[in-house]
Structures are given as C-alpha cells and as structure tokens.
Amino acid sequence: MLQQDYIMRLIQEFAAALRRILQKKEIEDRSEAIRDLYRQYLDGYEEYHISTMDEVMQSFARYEADQRIYRMEMLAELYYVESDMKSEPTRTQLLERALMLFSFIDSHSKTLSFERQQKIGEIKKRLTN
C-alpha cells in the first residue's frame, strides 16, 4: 500500500511539473526544465536520447515491477512534449519513440486510457504528414 501511494504521488508531482513547463513561453526555458524532469524522474537525459529503443526498454529493469509502466509513461510524455520543441529529424525521432512507448504501455497496462489512445492517434497522424 505504501508503494502504491508513493507511485501515485510521484505521478501527480510529475504531471504538475509537466503542466508548469508547458506554461513557459521561452523554448530554452522549457528545454532546460524538461532536461531537469528527465534527471529527476528517470535518472538522466542523455541516456534516453543516445540509446536505442531496445536499450531504453532494458533500462526500465532497474525500477521495481510495479513502477515500470508508470516510468515508461513519464518518458513517453517527455518525448511527446519535447518533440514540439525540436526540428526535423529530431522531432520525428522523438515522436516515434513516444509512439513506441505509448503503444507498449497501451498493450501491457491494466488501465484503459482514452487520453493515451488519443495521443497514439495524434502521433500517427503527425508522423504521416
């Protein structure tokens, strides 16, 4: 029960921090704040940008089983938000990573999320345009 409370609090803190970042007007301020979220919630920024997706998926083994899906969703959200601040080809790479994670989560999560499914559809549209 304590572990579940911790995870829920972690998710709420992450969501609030992400909302604050999206309110920032300057791209540089947003970029630095996103880097901080990677470090704070996922142990680093560079690892998730230079690693292959197989390596990224393997990296989640360091988290306890009941946290993995939630941490993956945090990373997918960061990739998704960060893609709006980048130019090509980085934008497409981040969207592809977000899509892969959101799709994996959607097929392995015990929770149905219409918001996640909407993001999957939106990412697919953005990738085909």
Side-chain angles (χ1 to χ4, degrees):
M1 186 68 164
L2 236 61
Q3 184 71 11
Q4 190 68 18
D5 290 342
Y6 167 75
I7 293 168
M8 295 312 291
R9 190 170 53 252
L10 189 71
I11 293 167
Q12 291 169 344
E13 288 174 7
F14 175 80
L18 197 56
R19 280 191 301 273
R20 285 191 301 273
I21 287 171
L22 294 174
Q23 293 173 351
K24 293 180 185 278
K25 296 194 188 286
E26 295 295 321
I27 295 292
E28 285 184 32
D29 293 340
R30 277 194 214 169
S31 293
E32 187 55 39
I34 283 181
R35 284 177 181 264
D36 288 342
L37 285 183
Y38 276 99
R39 287 188 281 273
Q40 185 176 357
Y41 291 95
L42 297 164
D43 301 329
Y45 177 84
E46 289 76 19
E47 172 185 359
Y48 294 106
H49 288 76
I50 62 172
S51 300
T52 66
M53 279 309 289
D54 286 339
E55 292 168 333
V56 168
M57 294 304 282
Q58 290 170 2
S59 76
F60 288 104
R62 69 176 163 240
Y63 299 109
E64 293 187 33
D66 59 346
Q67 287 188 29
R68 287 183 193 137
I69 290 287
Y70 299 109
R71 299 282 184 161
M72 284 179 193
E73 192 143 24
M74 288 176 189
L75 180 58
E77 290 288 348
L78 287 171
Y79 282 150
Y80 180 70
V81 168
E82 189 178 13
S83 72
D84 285 336
M85 296 181 281
K86 301 294 183 182
S87 58
E88 292 300 338
T90 305
R91 177 186 165 276
T92 296
Q93 291 168 344
L94 290 169
L95 285 172
E96 287 171 346
R97 285 175 175 246
L99 178 60
M100 180 182 280
L101 285 169
F102 280 132
S103 297
F104 179 89
I105 294 161
D106 204 49
S107 65
H108 289 84
S109 177
K110 297 175 186 171
T111 306
L112 176 64
S113 171
F114 292 113
E115 182 180 346
R116 186 184 319 119
Q117 291 177 347
Q118 283 180 318
K119 284 181 183 171
I120 289 170
E122 182 182 325
I123 292 170
K124 286 179 179 178
K125 283 182 190 174
R126 289 172 68 182
L127 287 171
T128 58
N129 290 337

